[in-house]
Amino acid sequence: MILLTLDECIGNIKEYDLIYILRDKNEMVWRKYALLDDDRDEIIRGLSHGDYCYGPELNYDSNKGEVWIFKKYISKYNYEFYIKITMKDDKRKCIVISLH
């Protein structure tokens, strides 16, 4: 069941607490670009409609909720980040599954 519109998703990203999943792909890119917590937050909170790729679709990793996919080019790093997020509405949390 689809719960959010793109506008709601982007609004929640800017407002909700951000939680990052520690995955090898994510951590490798974070180390490569020396991304600190504030850098990661700036990338995620800066997402806009123009960065949207697709979603929502079912979260196949946990079978709960939906995931949204974004790609965001950051000229400072000369790199396009792949971003996959899901929301925990009841706890007002944005879970960043992928940021690599």
Side-chain angles (χ1 to χ4, degrees), residues 28-66:
M28 187 171 52
V29 169
W30 300 349
R31 280 191 303 273
K32 179 178 180 178
Y33 294 103
L35 296 178
L36 303 174
D37 292 346
D38 289 343
D39 300 318
R40 294 191 304 255
D41 289 355
E42 184 178 332
I43 291 167
I44 299 301
R45 300 237 191 255
L47 290 173
S48 68
H49 289 79
D51 303 314
Y52 169 77
C53 290
Y54 56 92
E57 57 184 42
L58 290 177
N59 185 352
Y60 296 108
D61 293 335
S62 71
N63 291 323
K64 293 180 183 175
E66 55 198 26

Side-chain angles (χ1 to χ4, degrees), residues 5-95:
T5 66
L6 180 57
D7 285 337
E8 291 169 326
C9 177
I10 289 174
N12 290 351
I13 288 168
K14 294 179 186 325
E15 182 181 332
Y16 283 13
D17 292 335
L18 300 176
I19 298 172
Y20 296 90
I21 302 299
L22 300 177
R23 298 173 63 203
D24 290 341
K25 287 184 201 178
N26 293 340
E27 291 184 290
M28 187 171 52
V29 169
W30 300 349
R31 280 191 303 273
K32 179 178 180 178
Y33 294 103
L35 296 178
L36 303 174
D37 292 346
D38 289 343
D39 300 318
R40 294 191 304 255
D41 289 355
E42 184 178 332
I43 291 167
I44 299 301
R45 300 237 191 255
L47 290 173
S48 68
H49 289 79
D51 303 314
Y52 169 77
C53 290
Y54 56 92
E57 57 184 42
L58 290 177
N59 185 352
Y60 296 108
D61 293 335
S62 71
N63 291 323
K64 293 180 183 175
E66 55 198 26
V67 294
W68 295 79
I69 309 299
F70 297 85
K71 287 187 180 178
K72 183 163 188 78
Y73 177 79
I74 306 290
S75 59
K76 174 179 175 181
Y77 305 109
N78 192 29
Y79 187 77
E80 183 175 61
F81 290 90
Y82 172 83
I83 300 159
K84 183 174 167 183
I85 61 167
T86 189
M87 303 290 167
K88 296 270 188 194
D89 287 324
D90 57 332
K91 301 196 187 220
R92 299 185 53 81
K93 305 229 182 274
C94 174
I95 311 299

